[in-house]
């Protein structure tokens, strides 16, 4: 044994699947950046409904080995956004990335809303529909955040959001 097991922080990634190579990138970066659970979410604008859990798991194992992570995140079956939100544990804070920028930047939101249990929701190409944004904005456990002045590709948004989380949560330091 070279080191003791240290669990990653309790951060989940919810994401709308995109084309194959970009989804592979999402899985890889989410694992490298410490996501504990990955939840594919089908939204109104999701462009692909092909979710291959076995492929995602293989990508997760490979990424965990590459970054010397001692565990592999749980990878759930794809569900509709509405179903995921219906069954949501209200004690888990949900940070959704709002491409309209009608909110604060994610770094500030995280500093003002510390949470030991949280999830990051990244929307599909084309963003959330107005109805989905309205639904998310009205949830007491959800908070919208912006990732900067430009619209990011879904896979870039995953890396940016989880990097912010990692820095704020202190996951980057050896405790």
């Amino acid at each position: 044994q070279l080191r003791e097991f240290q669990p990653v922080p309790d951060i989940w990634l919810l994401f709308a699947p995109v084309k194959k190579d970009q989804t592979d990138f999402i899985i890889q970066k989410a694992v490298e950046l410490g996501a504990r659970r990955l939840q594919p979410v089908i939204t109104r604008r999701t462009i692909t409904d092909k979710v291959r859990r076995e492929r995602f798991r293989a990508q997760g194992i490979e990424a965990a080995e590459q970054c010397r992570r001692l565990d592999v995140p749980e990878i759930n079956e794809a569900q509709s956004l509405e179903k995921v939100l219906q069954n949501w544990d209200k004690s888990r804070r949900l940070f959704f990335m709002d491409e309209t920028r009608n909110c604060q930047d994610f770094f500030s939101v995280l500093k003002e809303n510390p949470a030991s249990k949280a999830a990051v929701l990244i929307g599909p190409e084309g963003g959330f529909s107005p109805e989905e944004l309205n639904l998310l904005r009205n949830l007491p456990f959800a908070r919208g955040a912006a990732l900067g002045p430009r619209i990011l590709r879904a896979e870039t948004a995953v890396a940016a959001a989880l990097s912010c989380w990692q820095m704020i949560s202190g996951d980057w330091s050896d405790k």
Side-chain angles (χ1 to χ4, degrees), residues 10-118:
D10 196 358
I11 183 72
W12 297 356
L13 172 66
L14 287 68
F15 67 97
V18 291
K19 295 175 185 145
K20 180 181 151 191
D21 290 342
Q22 287 90 352
T23 298
D24 290 349
F25 183 89
I26 287 171
I27 302 296
Q28 291 164 3
K29 300 314 161 203
V31 172
E32 291 174 26
L33 290 166
R36 189 179 287 190
R37 178 182 289 181
L38 305 178
Q39 174 65 63
V41 176
I42 306 302
T43 66
R44 286 183 179 86
R45 295 181 180 158
T46 300
I47 60 169
T48 182
D49 59 357
K50 293 183 176 139
V51 176
R52 296 187 175 95
R53 245 173 105 193
E54 300 79 28
R55 179 180 175 80
F56 290 0
R57 177 115 174 108
Q59 290 288 335
I61 290 169
E62 186 177 304
E65 289 172 352
Q66 186 279 324
C67 70
R68 298 186 182 154
R69 183 172 166 175
L70 299 177
D71 64 338
V72 178
E74 180 180 335
I75 300 173
N76 293 346
E77 290 287 342
Q79 294 182 0
S80 71
L81 177 61
E82 291 79 9
K83 185 171 183 183
V84 168
L85 296 175
Q86 259 178 359
N87 300 319
W88 196 259
D89 171 6
K90 311 287 187 282
S91 68
R92 179 174 299 279
R93 173 80 67 178
L94 175 63
F95 299 104
F96 64 96
M97 299 305 106
D98 185 345
E99 70 280 356
T100 68
R101 296 186 311 157
N102 188 15
C103 52
Q104 285 184 291
D105 67 276
F106 191 36
F107 202 73
S108 297
V109 169
L110 286 173
K111 283 189 156 215
E112 291 174 10
N113 298 275
S116 59
K117 292 184 351 177

